[in-house]
Amino acid sequence: MSQVFVRRLLLSAAVIAFAVPAAAQDAPATAASTQPEADDTAPDDAIIVTARRREEQSQDIPLAISVVGGEQLDNTGAFNVGRLQQLTPTVQYYSSNPRNTSLSIRGIGAPFGLTNDGFEQGVGIYVDDIYYSRVASATFDFLDVAQIEVLRGPQGTLYGKNTTAGAINIQTNQPSFTPEGRIEATIGNLGFKQVKAALSGPLSDNVAARLALSGTSRRGTLFNVATGTYINEQDNIGLRGQVLWQAGDTLDLTLSGDYSTQNPECCGTVYVRTGATQRPLYRQYEALAAAQGYAPPSRDPFDRLTDVDADLSARNEIGGVGLRAVWDLGDGTLTSATAWRFWDWGPANDRDFTGLPITTRSQNPSQQNQYTQELRYNYSAGNVDAVLGLFGFHQTVRTQGTESLGSAASRWLLNPGNVQVGSSGCATPTTLACDPTVLDGVVAYNDIRLDNTSAALFGQVSWEVTPGLTLQPGVRLNWDKKNGLYERLVFDGADNPVLFRDAQGIPITNPRTVARRDALTPQRIEPSFSDWNFSYDFTASYQIAPEVLGYATYARSFKTGGINLNGVPNDSQGNPLIAVGAIRPETVDHYEAGLKTELPGRLGVFNLAAFRTDVGDYQALVNAGQVSTTRGYLANAEKVRTQGLEADITVQPSDRFRAYANAAYTDAKYVRFTGAPCPPELSGGGSGTPVAAPGTPGNSPASCDISGQRIAGVSKWSLSYGAEANVPVNLLGQPGEVYLGFDGNFRSRFSSNPSPSAYTWIDGYSLANFRLGFRTDEGANLFVWVRNAFDEEFFELLSVAPGSTGLIAGQPGDPRTFGLTLAHNF
């Protein structure tokens, strides 16, 4: 760990420590709780979870789980999943735009890179029992959240949609028959404004309703010199309504509806660096840019200047309607969750990452509808608890894409042969690379479709064999079917189709047509996949002492097969390689052991977990490096392994002080991946032998063996930690407490490219957040906050520009921000 990180951690600890002595003087004996209680027998400070689809104390379940309450989310500014990862170090979240969002737990879940609609997520997102299939939902503000549970490891025998890496179980505040409400308003630098409100109460003796809304806006953090505007802004609006009908003494029906929208000018990047590739030197970034008189607006990425010249948009709408019925049958409870959800995505991107008119338009707007039905029976009697469930899922995705090239595309993308464009200029106008009309105006239209259906039967039994010893087997039977279409039609600047063959079937070898096909390749495939799968798990737990629970788990899980919906490579005759249209399911062997300990005197908790997950046929992203030949297609890596240790500790000696620390060591690597995409230093050259040394012009390998390399996006070390201390005061006649809080996190370095590259390692960084406020006994709360208090300069993502030019672009993380929040519960 860096010395800077250690110094900042010590400074942050000192600030909190200064407040502790005063805070501890009048401490009552019992710790306070902000969590709901499951029943009257639960201790006042118990954290109640529904991870196993029934209410239990989190310390009583043999499962690695992190719980974040709604109050902590509000206090720390963690208003979406992206910020949640700062509180839960086992979560990895990356987003170049809402659609291209990757969410993983313990290093697995989704391949790092451009999203492909034809595969499943390994991390399930559930909101009040409703499955959210689009990971884009992770970019929206949390709406009226009561609690978030992050479950680590496979959860297929408990949750409707199979999840191999874990699940994020979000519980919202429910309608109440006692009138209540909450309002919160925040202002900050960069024009930050956020409003949250919720109101709940009875409509009749047996009907209650709840309405919540949120809105967030903030000026962008990058300045685009090409348009004179700030980009990568925040612009979120969300609305959620619920109606609860107590239809009888044993039947509750809850109808819910939600709608959220984003419409920021997003998502641009900044110049970070260049790295040598195997292209001829005069075809790499520096020479190409000099030949066209181009220079980035700044070579210091933390000047936060860009000049991307294509339209930017990240319009994103998501919502739906759900009906949940809960029927108490005495020894058991029958739950039905029915839902329809939609997702509408309207993007525009600059895929060349420069201010040159290379790719002038890149967008793939999509519309999704999903329908889910889950029936679940929970049984509890004596020493047996059981869950039996049925789940059905149907999803349709329709995408209409457009990509077009501009006047700088020919010189940037095409091979000029013996003419060294970068050094001596275009010697003859007959050279294709010197003729802008070859690629200028070439356009591709994409039609992408997915019909995805799955059904499952799942169940789990928890049997206390003897006092303290519990055995928990679980099974799942799953069926999946996917049908897809990927069709790309390409036209030149005169609106003539670009084809591989003419009407008589004769191959077209005209050099201009060949050049256009290389840049934007026409293709049509109709991939499909269908299969059954059986999986299972087994957990044994033992109450070693009244405050110590030990457990061990083995799970044989899977992630269903997928289909490629971003295109696949063509052979030399222009025929798509149908064999890679579908990918095999992942097979998962998961091992875990843990201890859950309550500290003496109910001082707090200390939990440990050790795990190992072996994944066969890991679904990875492969990208050939061209600008638009394929956006990246899926393939199976032979084997991936992730293993590590996790520790979580929370101490709360009194109402006046609370502290926590969570640590994760994650060793995630490709055990065997022999056909992986090559990093930029081994890309861009010709084909043949011998292969040139990395970063040396010459021949490049068709693929690379990255066996033993680390999986992208995973830090070996991740930490989150914090504390809050308060003292009772009477301010302006209002009794309450003044409090000081700190939350920090640290991540060690990680790779930001699917195949590790010397050019795309992101250095480790630490972030520190502080808050100082006053809250009254009547529910008012006023506090000032500062996030990234030490103004750490860090990257969220680095991206390799298409075309093997050596350009590396990036997304800087947020600078220091500060503001004021006023909230009131009533």
Side-chain angles (χ1 to χ4, degrees), residues 464-547:
E464 188 176 14
V465 182
T466 61
L469 175 63
T470 301
L471 304 180
Q472 181 181 284
V475 295
R476 180 184 184 89
L477 180 65
N478 211 92
W479 174 75
D480 291 277
K481 182 178 181 180
K482 294 181 173 69
N483 291 318
L485 167 70
Y486 174 86
E487 183 175 41
R488 169 181 274 184
L489 303 177
V490 182
F491 299 87
D492 64 18
D495 208 28
N496 299 309
V498 175
L499 305 171
F500 281 93
R501 294 174 179 83
D502 62 18
Q504 288 72 42
I506 300 173
I508 299 173
T509 58
N510 178 283
R512 297 172 71 88
T513 300
V514 172
R516 291 162 180 158
R517 288 199 312 247
D518 286 344
L520 294 175
T521 304
Q523 187 176 97
R524 179 186 173 95
I525 57 172
E526 296 185 61
S528 63
F529 172 86
S530 179
D531 199 10
W532 289 85
N533 191 280
F534 177 74
S535 57
Y536 53 90
D537 57 38
F538 182 80
T539 297
S541 61
Y542 185 68
Q543 197 74 43
I544 301 170
E547 296 82 18

Side-chain angles (χ1 to χ4, degrees), residues 726-779:
N726 68 75
V727 292
V729 298
N730 193 302
L731 185 63
L732 300 177
Q734 294 292 322
E737 58 190 27
V738 171
Y739 63 92
L740 174 65
F742 162 75
D743 297 278
N745 63 91
F746 167 80
R747 298 191 60 187
S748 61
R749 75 171 194 149
F750 60 92
S751 169
S752 187
N753 195 57
S755 293
S757 166
Y759 310 143
T760 57
W761 284 97
I762 292 180
D763 293 335
Y765 58 87
S766 60
L767 303 178
N769 309 320
F770 294 90
R771 60 188 180 277
L772 174 65
F774 172 69
R775 51 182 165 237
T776 72
D777 295 344
E778 301 300 321

Side-chain angles (χ1 to χ4, degrees), residues 200-267:
S200 184
L203 300 181
S204 69
D205 289 342
N206 61 351
V207 177
R210 188 176 188 93
L211 181 65
L213 61 86
S214 71
T216 303
S217 66
R218 192 186 73 179
R219 195 202 76 189
T221 55
L222 304 183
F223 185 74
N224 189 350
V225 300
T227 60
T229 60
Y230 284 95
I231 63 171
N232 295 9
E233 59 198 2
Q234 293 178 359
D235 182 12
N236 297 353
I237 296 175
L239 181 68
R240 181 178 183 85
Q242 299 180 82
V243 177
L244 167 64
W245 176 30
Q246 293 183 337
D249 292 339
T250 60
L251 178 62
D252 288 350
L253 300 174
T254 303
L255 178 66
S256 63
D258 65 277
Y259 172 78
S260 296
T261 181
Q262 300 173 330
N263 194 22
E265 187 178 0
C266 186
C267 301

Side-chain angles (χ1 to χ4, degrees), residues 81-95 101-112 121-123 125 135 138 150 152 165-166 168 611 618 642-643 645-646 663-668 710-719 746-751 765 796-797:
V81 173
R83 297 194 176 212
L84 178 66
Q85 73 167 343
Q86 296 183 15
L87 301 175
T88 53
T90 56
V91 172
Q92 294 90 35
Y93 170 93
Y94 305 98
S95 181
T101 296
S102 170
L103 182 62
S104 299
I105 293 177
R106 294 173 167 173
I108 58 175
F112 192 94
Q121 301 294 325
V123 176
I125 299 176
V135 73
V150 179
R152 309 190 297 262
I168 296 178
F611 67 92
Y618 179 79
T642 178
Q643 61 185 6
L645 298 170
E646 299 162 350
Y665 170 78
T666 307
D667 178 20
R710 285 166 57 180
I711 294 176
V714 186
S715 297
K716 279 198 172 182
W717 289 99
S718 297
L719 310 173
F746 167 80
R747 298 191 60 187
S748 61
R749 75 171 194 149
F750 60 92
S751 169
Y765 58 87
E796 293 182 344
L797 279 176

Side-chain angles (χ1 to χ4, degrees), residues 603-638:
L603 180 67
V605 298
F606 177 56
N607 298 331
L608 286 171
F611 67 92
R612 173 173 174 144
T613 305
D614 295 310
V615 184
D617 285 327
Y618 179 79
Q619 296 169 1
L621 185 73
V622 176
N623 196 327
Q626 283 78 18
V627 172
S628 299
T629 302
T630 57
R631 289 170 50 81
Y633 62 95
L634 294 167
N636 292 104
E638 293 92 330

Side-chain angles (χ1 to χ4, degrees), residues 532-576:
W532 289 85
N533 191 280
F534 177 74
S535 57
Y536 53 90
D537 57 38
F538 182 80
T539 297
S541 61
Y542 185 68
Q543 197 74 43
I544 301 170
E547 296 82 18
V548 181
L549 175 70
Y551 67 91
T553 296
Y554 169 72
R556 174 71 170 182
S557 188
F558 80 103
K559 185 163 75 172
T560 185
I563 57 178
N564 272 300
L565 292 177
N566 286 345
V568 297
N570 289 326
D571 63 19
S572 60
Q573 303 301 313
N575 301 308

Side-chain angles (χ1 to χ4, degrees), residues 47 57-61 547 549 596-598 605-607:
I47 297 178
Q57 298 179 47
S58 64
Q59 288 298 104
D60 291 344
I61 63 174
E547 296 82 18
L549 175 70
K596 309 189 86 168
T597 305
E598 187 175 307
V605 298
F606 177 56
N607 298 331

